[in-house]
Amino acid sequence: MDARAIIASLRRGDTPSDADLRWFAEGLANGTVSDAQAGAFAMAVCLQGLGVEARRALTLAMRDSGDVLRWDLDGPVLDKHSTGGVGDCVSLLLAPALAECGAYVPMISGRGLGHTGGTLDKMEAIPGVSIQVSEQDLVAMMQGVGCAIVGATAQIAPADKRLYAIRDVTATVDSLDLITASILSKKLAASTDALVLDVKIGSGAFMKTLEEAEALARSLTETANAAGCRTSALITDMNQPLAPALGNALEVAEVMRVLTGVSGQGGALAELTAEQGGVLLAHGGLAADAEAGAAMIRKAIASGAVAERFARMVAAMGGSSDFAETWQTILPTAPVQRRIKVEQTGYVSAIDGEALGLAVVQLGGGRMIESDVVDPAVGLSELTPLGQKLSVGDQLGIVHAADEAAADVAETRLRAAYQLSDVAPDLPPLIYKRIS
C-alpha cells in the first residue's frame, strides 16, 4: 500500500477500507508514514470525514497498533475522558475518588490540544512527577494505589500518540472522526470495564452547539459499546471555565482546595466529578445507581481520604510523599501576579472560554508548536463566574505571568474575553444531556 494513494482517496471523498486504515495506523506506529503524510491524512479526514464504519475501523486499528493491557484485579477497571475545555481538572479529582470507592483507574491521558489544557501537563506541574511509566509499573500502581494518571507508553496506541501531537499543530483537532479514534484507541487499549465520556459544549469547547456535541457523544458511545466497553456520555457546559483557574499548577491547586476542603463544597468542579463518578460506580457494579454512586464520591472527598490517595499516587509517580500537606508551598508560582479590576459596572453575561485558553497558551502554559516547553506556573486564577454582578474596581481575575510584558498581553485578552451587561443572564445547566 501507499500513504499517498490513501491520502488522495480521502481527499476525493472516498471511504477508505479497513485494510487501508489498518496499514496507515501501523505506518504511524512504525514510522513508515512521515509527519507530512500524517498531517495530510489528518487534514483530509477533517475536511471530508470518514463515515461510521471507517471511523470504527480507524479506532480499532489505532488501538491495535500497540499492546492491549490485560488486568487481574479484584474490582472493576473504570475510566473517563473529557473532550476538552478550560479549567477542566476533573480527572485529577475523579481517579483517586473512584479508587477510594473500590475501583481501579489506569487513566491514560493526553496533553493540551489547541486552547484546552492537558491532564498530563497538569500532573507534570507537580514537582518530581513523571507521567511516563512502564506497563509493569502501571500494574504495580493499580495494585498499590488503585489509580494512576499517565501518558501512553510507546506500546499503548502508538499510532494515536503520533497523530495526536501532529493534530495539535496542524489545526485538525476538531474532527469528529479523529477525536473518536484518538480517545477510544487509548481507552480501549487499557481494557476498561466501563467508561464515562464528558462531551463539552460552549465557548470554551471544541463543540459549540448541542447538535455537534450530541453527534460526538453518540459516535463515542456507539463505538465504545460496540467494542465491548460499557460506556455512557454526559454533555456538559463549557460556556465558562469549570474551575476558576486556568493553567497547570493553578488547576492542581484548585483540585487540592476541593480535596482538602479549602474551597468548601468545590462548586461545579466537585459536582461534575460526583456526577461522572456516580455513573461509573453504577456501571462497575459498585453502586446501585448513578445517584448512589455520586453520593459515594462526595462522601469520599469530604472525608479527606481522596486527598491522601491522590498524594499516594503523586508519590508513586516520583513526587513528594507528603503532597497533601505541602502542596501550597511546593507547586510552582509565577513571578508576576497581577490582579485585574473591572472598569465598568454590570453582570458577567458571557465569557469567551476559548479566548481565555489561548491567553494561557500565549503566556506559555500551552504549546504554539509541538516542541514548545510548557511553563507550569503561568495562567489565570480567581476568575469571575457567569452571572456575577461587578462594580468598578472589583476583581475580574488574576494573571500569572513570567514577566510584565506577558502580563500586559494576558490582561488585554482577559478583559476582551468577558462581556458585561445591565441584565443578569440566564445561567446554563451544568449537564445538558445524558447518553447511554
Side-chain angles (χ1 to χ4, degrees):
M1 294 184 182
D2 183 346
R4 293 170 297 179
I6 294 172
I7 294 166
S9 177
L10 276 169
R11 190 187 63 210
R12 293 192 299 268
D14 298 336
T15 301
S17 68
D18 289 13
D20 285 342
L21 293 171
R22 185 165 294 276
W23 182 90
F24 204 91
E26 290 174 356
L28 286 168
N30 63 27
T32 303
V33 170
S34 71
D35 283 355
Q37 290 169 333
F41 173 86
M43 185 61 74
V45 172
C46 197
L47 293 174
Q48 296 289 3
L50 287 176
V52 175
E53 289 304 314
R55 184 188 310 144
R56 176 197 58 77
L58 177 62
T59 300
L60 297 180
M62 289 171 64
R63 178 199 67 182
D64 295 337
S65 67
D67 294 345
V68 177
L69 300 178
R70 295 289 182 261
W71 304 104
D72 183 17
L73 301 166
D74 60 1
V77 177
L78 307 179
D79 203 355
K80 62 84 65 172
H81 185 85
S82 168
T83 57
V86 291
D88 180 6
C89 37
V90 166
S91 293
L92 276 65
L93 282 162
L94 185 58
L98 289 168
E100 191 62 33
C101 293
Y104 294 91
V105 191
M107 193 175 285
I108 298 174
S109 299
R111 299 194 180 278
L113 273 179
H115 67 279
T116 67
T119 299
L120 296 183
D121 297 322
K122 294 166 195 175
M123 288 299 299
E124 286 186 326
I126 302 172
V129 164
S130 173
I131 52 81
Q132 293 299 338
V133 302
S134 67
E135 291 181 28
Q136 183 178 359
D137 288 340
L138 182 58
V139 170
M141 289 185 69
M142 289 304 98
Q143 295 170 339
V145 183
C147 61
I149 300 174
V150 299
T153 68
Q155 292 76 40
I156 298 294
D160 174 67
K161 186 175 184 179
R162 181 128 176 267
L163 190 58
Y164 191 100
I166 289 170
R167 287 169 57 212
D168 189 25
V169 295
T170 55
T172 54
V173 171
D174 54 347
S175 159
L176 180 71
D177 301 303
L178 296 178
I179 292 171
T180 298
S182 177
I183 292 170
L184 293 181
S185 61
K186 294 188 293 287
K187 298 304 180 184
L188 296 176
S191 295
T192 53
D193 297 312
L195 177 65
V196 68
L197 298 156
D198 182 3
V199 180
K200 300 293 188 185
I201 175 178
S203 67
F206 293 118
M207 303 299 166
K208 305 300 185 185
T209 69
L210 184 58
E211 182 181 16
E212 290 175 324
E214 187 167 352
L216 177 57
R218 294 196 182 281
S219 171
L220 289 165
T221 53
E222 289 169 3
T223 303
N225 279 296
C229 178
R230 187 172 183 185
T231 303
S232 293
L234 304 179
I235 298 178
T236 69
D237 184 63
M238 189 40 70
N239 284 298
Q240 62 179 325
L242 186 61
L246 280 69
N248 297 307
L250 294 169
E251 291 185 51
V252 174
E254 286 300 323
V255 167
M256 296 310 298
R257 289 188 181 95
V258 173
L259 293 182
T260 58
V262 173
S263 63
Q265 297 300 309
L269 175 60
E271 183 57 26
L272 189 55
T273 299
E275 291 290 340
Q276 292 182 20
V279 171
L280 282 171
L281 291 176
H283 281 351
L286 295 174
D289 53 34
E291 185 177 354
M296 290 171 62
I297 296 290
R298 294 187 188 98
K299 182 178 180 180
I301 291 175
S303 73
V306 179
E308 291 301 324
R309 192 172 289 264
F310 184 86
R312 287 169 56 197
M313 178 178 70
V314 166
M317 297 174 67
S320 170
S321 60
D322 59 352
F323 185 71
E325 291 77 36
T326 61
W327 61 272
Q328 295 184 73
T329 59
I330 69 173
L331 285 172
T333 57
V336 176
Q337 298 181 24
R338 182 186 298 178
R339 295 184 179 274
I340 310 303
K341 297 181 178 181
V342 295
E343 299 170 341
Q344 67 182 94
T345 296
Y347 293 94
V348 177
S349 57
I351 300 173
D352 187 340
E354 184 171 351
L356 290 178
L358 291 174
V360 174
V361 173
Q362 188 69 39
L363 281 166
R367 296 173 183 81
M368 299 293 288
I369 60 175
E370 184 181 347
S371 59
D372 281 350
V373 176
V374 170
D375 184 344
V378 300
L380 309 170
S381 70
E382 296 186 25
L383 293 169
T384 301
L386 280 173
Q388 181 74 43
K389 186 175 183 179
L390 297 172
S391 299
V392 174
D394 285 346
Q395 180 178 291
L396 192 62
I398 302 175
V399 170
H400 300 250
D403 54 48
E404 295 291 348
D408 289 342
V409 174
E411 177 178 349
T412 300
R413 289 175 175 266
L414 173 59
R415 291 186 184 280
Y418 272 79
Q419 180 178 321
L420 272 61
S421 66
D422 295 332
V423 180
D426 294 328
L427 298 181
L430 181 59
I431 299 174
Y432 289 86
K433 201 164 188 176
R434 300 169 187 265
I435 296 173
S436 59

